[in-house]
Amino acid sequence: MLRGIYPGSFDPVTFGHVDVITRSAGKVDELIVGVLNNKAKSPLFSAEERVRMLEEITKEMPNVRIFPFEGLLVDFARKMKADLVIRGLRAITDFEYELQMAQTNHKLEPELETVFLTTSLEYSYLSSSTVKEVAAFGGDISRFVPEIVADRIAEKMKKKESVD
Ligand code: ADP
């Protein structure tokens, strides 16, 4: 039984993330998507909202489960009895940070391996932060995120406008 964890902020989840989820779910027996609840950041969506959207998006994927987590990834991985951490690599800019994280995690938990999936070409430019930027200026994000996410972002933006 090979269990992988794909951790991230997913604020919001993009087609790039969905691609990594779909591809890695095909390679492991069970995939846990870990939604980081980082109290130091102020995300667009709460961890609960992000979990709910991911549950909706992956509802046809029987071996994928979504959980929020806080604190160290290695502790979460231990709790979930995971064998692998899966991360996506887009460009050279991701590499330095990802290498550092993977090596730190390996020192903390030598049994836990990190594997990288290189991004599919059509999503290599895509990031949660650019999606938020485009949405904030009223741009069309339907090519970047699943419909349910685009709808939730539109609701958020409307609420923000009415407060401002
Ligand atoms: P972080 O975990 O650094 O807060 P994200 O939640 O945006 O970042 O991303 C989670 C993981 O998904 C990271 O490994 C990131 O490199 C990867 N990822 C993000 N966007 C893409 C994409 N377009 N294609 C492939 N992998 C991606």
Side-chain angles (χ1 to χ4, degrees), residues 6-10 16-17 20 87-88 90 94 98 119 123 126 128:
Y6 177 36
S9 308
F10 308 108
H17 297 128
V20 172
R87 296 282 287 176
R90 278 162 298 189
D94 279 342
E98 292 293 342
T119 177
Y123 306 125
L126 201 49
S128 298

Side-chain angles (χ1 to χ4, degrees), residues 26-47:
K27 298 288 172 210
V28 294
D29 298 301
E30 184 174 49
L31 180 71
I32 289 162
V33 180
V35 177
L36 181 64
N37 186 8
N38 184 348
K39 298 243 160 90
K41 280 192 185 171
S42 43
L44 179 62
F45 291 104
S46 70

Side-chain angles (χ1 to χ4, degrees), residues 80-159:
M80 291 288 149
K81 298 189 167 45
D83 310 287
L84 292 177
V85 171
I86 294 156
R87 296 282 287 176
L89 269 187
R90 278 162 298 189
I92 209 82
T93 41
D94 279 342
F95 183 77
E96 221 172 282
Y97 173 72
E98 292 293 342
L99 183 70
Q100 206 174 25
M101 282 306 299
Q103 288 175 336
T104 306
N105 287 335
H106 195 71
K107 280 273 173 234
L108 293 172
E109 183 62 68
E111 293 289 302
L112 188 67
E113 294 290 355
T114 303
V115 300
F116 296 100
L117 291 193
T118 49
T119 177
S120 296
L121 266 184
E122 64 265 46
Y123 306 125
S124 58
Y125 65 91
L126 201 49
S127 74
S128 298
S129 45
T130 48
V131 167
K132 282 185 275 196
E133 230 167 270
V134 172
F137 291 107
D140 176 15
I141 55 168
S142 61
R143 272 164 303 166
F144 308 146
V145 297
E147 199 177 339
I148 162 189
V149 176
D151 291 347
R152 294 289 133 74
I153 293 180
E155 283 164 23
K156 285 264 172 198
M157 295 295 161
K158 244 191 232 154
K159 257 189 214 155

